[in-house]
Amino acid sequence: MEIKLEKLDEYRWLIPKTGPMRVPGLIYSNDALMKEVKEDQSLAQVANVATLPGIVGHSLAMPDIHWGYGFPIGGVAAFDLDEGIVSPGGVGYDINCGCRLMTTLLRADEIRPMTKDLISALFKNIPTGVGSTGPLHLSNKDEAGVAVQGAAWAVKKGFGSTEDLDKTEDHGAMDGADPSLLSERAMKRGKDQLGTLGSGNHFIEIQAVEKIYDGQKARAYNLFEGQVVIFIHTGSRGFGHQICDDFLKEMSRDALKESFDLPDRQLACARLKSDQGRRYLAAMACAANYAWANRQILMHWTHETLLKALSINPKELGMSLLYDVCHNIAKKELHTIGGKQVMLCIHRKGATRSLPPGHPLLSEVYRDVGQPVLIPGSMGTRSYVLAGAEGAMAQSFGSTCHGAGRVLSRTKANKMAKGRAIHRELEDIGIFVQSRGKRTLKEEMPEAYKDISQVVEVVHQAGLAQKVARLRPLGVIKG
Amino acid sequence: MGSDKPDFSLLDHTADMGILVRGTNLKNLFEEAAKSMMHVMLKGAQGGKTQTIKLSVTGNDLPDLMVRWLGEILYLFEGEKTVATDISVDAISPSYLDATVQTIPFDPSLHEILSEIKAVTYHQIEVAKKGERWEARIIFDL
């Protein structure tokens, strides 16, 4: 399908409203990134999302946009609560896939000789890999507790502290979660996957703060050059997948009855005001909360592992949560449309919330400085800490990018990596990697992703978020 | 996960992975699709106690039936930690199928996971007769 594009300025492209589109599409990008975007089908997906009932403003895409299923990855769409829909495919299978960043008092030059040992210790202690299960086995009651209380459940069980909740999006628990709506299969899959990393692009990375762009915000975030920080990227595991799958099947059947004229079946959806729409949001909240508990537990085990491996005390390590964000979610939020405050349902499918200073949803810790936005790179490339900016509220329903975004398919990456020892190539540039799956390193090699510095530059220049710090990987564990 | 490669080719997708499967008839197409998915996911030897299970799947139409059918085979792995080794469709209509599946317990020492398929998506799903043969296009979430 040929998609017409109009370049609005250096960082924005418009897909004019044509055919069944209810609103135009708007893509944040630059000339170099746009060349790659045109090569896959993600622009058609932006146009497809624009056809959904009750969509408000534009069907948006962030500069890390790439071809997903249904919604593009990097897609943001807002829906009117009366006329609009909620789409499980617009959230994704890995509900509340997200990131968490912890600061430490360690300096990179102090731990460099020990990086390999630290990575080995983390790899030993953190359950990783396909279908990985951990030492936790939840009773039905505990699983329901996780689904409703999220990160707070983990804190109550001794994983971390209540202060962590102030530094977690939505305080680590989404309201309205109702575990009684979950299928037997979802409950079964959630029982033994809490406190596991999973596979694919999920990771725990030891990083060094390489460059500070904004000293004032960096101080507020407790970041300094040369500092060791820890980045966790994972989500709701099989629990979230099953919930998405259950509701997609249900909505796919009912979308035909509702006579939604869907350009792609993966866009199956339900009206927000319908019983089905409400049930999905209540079930999705269970998975979102599971993911927050998961990252809270993984943070705790990372803390324990580092203390033991380095033989230091908690004060010396000084590990503290900087922030936790989700990037696969649908949320009801207040936004200003035509001068009026309107409650909308924002879908972020591979996009991060970006709240500016003073926003009422921010906890006091970051109210003056703005929400930390965590952008993971792929192993071998840089990650970024950004700060939420006013431009995001004006342009993108308080959203920005979520990562580098794939540019090579896994098949192509595998072919390109044939005969290469990716772990050795990374070791040559000072990055130690341990992974469970044989193909993971090849599929996730740095060349498989867009240039993250360009992705971040686009959102910075477009005013969707502000650069605060750049992080360089020292070691990675992957599934 | 039989030793013969089922009749399929891989489709390139930036984030995920797809397959284009061919079958001599509808029954054969659904069998080949399930075997292809297992072929993409896992390789390894037979081992452990074989179990025979009966599956009945309903769908709105053929594409929906395909997603739900492959979803059931995938759940045997994701949810039950078993590997489908022999897959036979006993009866099929555009909205219903009955199948007999042999499974063995998943054993990481015997089975190598090649690609973790996390879900069978509806994205660009197609099941259609092309000339004398049947074809299906399926995209997986990885």
Side-chain angles (χ1 to χ4, degrees):
Chain A
M1 181 162 69
E2 182 68 26
I3 298 290
K4 202 178 154 201
L5 272 175
E6 289 173 15
K7 188 172 177 180
L8 297 180
D9 54 35
E10 219 176 323
Y11 301 108
R12 296 185 308 155
W13 276 256
L14 186 85
I15 302 177
K17 180 164 119 43
T18 54
M21 288 170 72
R22 294 166 196 259
V23 295
L26 186 65
I27 295 116
Y28 288 83
S29 192
N30 66 19
D31 286 323
L33 292 169
M34 208 60 191
K35 269 188 206 155
E36 293 163 356
V37 174
K38 285 177 184 166
E39 283 174 18
D40 67 22
Q41 298 183 33
S42 47
L43 294 176
Q45 293 191 311
V46 175
N48 285 347
V49 171
T51 69
L52 293 173
I55 186 165
V56 175
H58 293 87
S59 167
L60 294 163
M62 297 296 121
D64 44 348
I65 176 176
H66 58 282
W67 185 15
Y69 35 85
F71 273 56
I73 297 165
V76 175
F79 294 88
D80 177 84
L81 296 193
D82 286 327
E83 298 300 317
I85 53 90
V86 61
S87 171
V91 171
Y93 287 95
D94 193 359
I95 297 165
N96 189 2
C97 181
C99 307
R100 163 172 295 234
L101 184 67
M102 294 94 81
T103 58
T104 72
L105 292 176
L106 302 175
R107 296 193 59 89
D109 44 14
E110 290 166 355
I111 68 145
R112 197 177 306 279
M114 293 166 275
T115 315
K116 208 170 184 173
D117 294 339
L118 294 179
I119 289 300
S120 296
L122 283 172
F123 194 65
K124 193 174 148 217
N125 290 354
I126 306 284
T128 59
V130 178
S132 48
T133 56
L136 299 177
H137 301 283
L138 301 176
S139 65
N140 279 340
K141 194 180 157 211
D142 276 341
E143 200 175 358
V146 172
V148 172
Q149 298 163 40
W153 180 91
V155 170
K156 268 187 216 158
K157 297 282 175 185
F159 302 98
S161 72
T162 48
E163 286 166 17
D164 300 334
L165 305 179
D166 287 336
K167 296 174 184 168
T168 304
E169 185 167 336
D170 290 343
H171 298 271
M174 205 173 202
D175 289 339
D178 183 355
S180 73
L181 298 170
L182 304 181
S183 68
E184 208 176 292
R185 286 185 175 185
M187 291 297 281
K188 183 170 181 182
R189 290 179 70 178
K191 288 225 175 307
D192 54 5
Q193 291 200 338
L194 193 67
T196 66
L197 192 61
S199 64
N201 60 4
H202 294 159
F203 65 76
I204 297 181
E205 199 159 282
I206 302 175
Q207 303 171 333
V209 178
E210 186 175 52
K211 186 173 171 60
I212 298 285
Y213 298 97
D214 183 325
Q216 198 189 346
K217 287 189 193 293
R219 273 191 297 280
Y221 291 169
N222 189 25
L223 290 167
F224 57 88
E225 275 181 20
Q227 177 188 26
V228 172
V229 294
I230 317 288
F231 208 120
I232 298 178
H233 177 216
T234 187
S236 52
R237 313 283 292 110
F239 185 69
H241 267 81
Q242 191 65 46
I243 291 169
C244 177
D245 205 50
D246 291 342
F247 277 89
L248 258 178
K249 290 199 170 93
E250 192 184 320
M251 289 185 193
S252 158
R253 190 163 276 171
D254 294 350
L256 298 173
K257 287 185 220 151
E258 267 264 22
S259 67
F260 288 143
D261 198 9
L262 299 176
D264 182 351
R265 287 187 187 213
Q266 190 71 14
L267 294 173
C269 51
R271 300 266 180 204
L272 280 156
K273 63 183 180 188
S274 70
D275 172 61
Q276 195 171 49
R278 279 194 289 265
R279 283 192 291 111
Y280 169 68
L281 283 174
M284 183 206 72
C286 295
N289 296 343
Y290 189 98
W292 274 312
N294 193 30
R295 292 195 288 272
Q296 181 72 25
I297 292 165
L298 291 177
M299 174 176 79
H300 179 77
W301 286 339
T302 299
H303 187 229
E304 283 187 343
T305 303
L306 294 184
L307 287 177
K308 197 170 170 201
L310 291 165
S311 301
I312 55 177
N313 64 44
K315 212 171 167 188
E316 289 168 310
L317 177 59
M319 198 173 100
S320 166
L321 177 60
L322 193 160
Y323 206 60
D324 180 303
V325 292
C326 57
H327 51 228
N328 278 1
I329 202 81
K331 277 186 183 183
K332 290 180 184 171
E333 293 173 353
L334 267 181
H335 287 277
T336 307
I337 306 287
K340 276 192 203 159
Q341 290 258 294
V342 190
M343 188 67 88
L344 298 169
C345 181
I346 315 297
H347 288 62
R348 296 192 181 99
K349 165 83 176 286
T352 316
R353 195 182 71 171
S354 174
L355 299 181
H359 195 284
L361 284 182
L362 277 176
S363 63
E364 264 183 42
V365 192
Y366 296 126
R367 180 90 33 99
D368 293 340
V369 67
Q371 177 209 306
V373 173
L374 311 175
I375 309 295
S378 67
M379 57 187 186
T381 64
R382 275 39 177 176
S383 296
Y384 284 82
V385 179
L386 313 179
E390 208 50 70
M393 295 311 290
Q395 304 177 67
S396 59
F397 303 105
S399 312
T400 188
C401 62
H402 88 304
R406 283 194 83 90
V407 67
L408 287 183
S409 69
R410 286 174 165 89
T411 324
K412 278 192 185 139
N414 261 314
K415 270 186 199 151
M416 200 184 262
K418 207 167 184 183
R420 289 168 56 184
I422 302 293
H423 72 280
R424 204 154 296 148
E425 287 180 22
L426 289 168
E427 212 165 307
D428 287 345
I429 52 169
I431 304 163
F432 295 102
V433 186
Q434 285 208 13
S435 83
R436 193 76 55 195
K438 279 190 183 168
R439 288 193 181 186
T440 307
L441 289 190
K442 289 180 177 173
E443 291 175 358
E444 294 293 315
M445 67 177 180
E447 295 102 301
Y449 286 85
K450 293 182 206 283
D451 179 350
I452 191 167
S453 62
Q454 289 204 42
V455 169
V456 163
E457 201 55 35
V458 170
V459 297
H460 178 80
Q461 294 295 342
L464 303 184
Q466 282 179 296
K467 287 193 288 185
V468 176
R470 188 173 72 214
L471 316 172
R472 179 170 51 86
L474 301 173
V476 194
I477 67 163
K478 290 184 77 79
Chain B
M1 221 184 56
S3 51
D4 297 334
K5 182 182 175 291
D7 191 3
F8 77 97
S9 45
L10 285 178
L11 296 168
D12 225 23
H13 182 283
T14 323
D16 299 297
M17 179 194 278
I19 54 171
L20 190 67
V21 189
R22 292 160 286 268
T24 49
N25 53 43
L26 202 51
K27 176 178 166 305
N28 178 246
L29 178 75
F30 274 68
E31 286 171 349
E32 289 297 298
K35 289 174 189 169
S36 303
M37 183 176 74
M38 295 309 296
H39 192 89
V40 170
M41 277 171 67
L42 287 166
K43 78 171 182 189
Q46 305 268 347
K49 196 177 170 213
T50 304
Q51 256 202 324
T52 302
I53 53 167
K54 296 275 185 189
L55 289 177
S56 291
V57 186
T58 58
N60 288 323
D61 51 20
L62 284 172
D64 188 44
L65 188 65
M66 180 62 87
V67 171
R68 287 168 193 267
W69 157 241
L70 295 183
E72 288 302 311
I73 301 292
L74 183 61
Y75 181 77
L76 291 175
F77 178 67
E78 292 279 359
E80 305 290 344
K81 311 269 191 297
T82 60
V83 175
T85 51
D86 192 58
I87 298 160
S88 171
V89 173
D90 304 321
I92 188 163
S93 79
S95 59
Y96 181 81
L97 77 74
D98 277 333
T100 307
V101 180
Q102 309 267 3
T103 65
I104 53 171
F106 170 65
D107 179 348
S109 66
L110 287 175
H111 304 121
E112 183 192 342
I113 294 171
L114 302 173
S115 298
E116 186 188 17
I117 293 177
K118 292 177 181 161
V120 184
T121 81
Y122 285 95
H123 179 48
Q124 299 183 341
I125 179 81
E126 270 181 26
V127 180
K129 196 168 182 192
K130 300 269 168 86
E132 290 302 300
R133 290 160 68 83
W134 282 83
E135 258 186 33
R137 170 198 170 92
I138 305 131
I139 291 177
F140 302 114
D141 173 48
L142 298 185

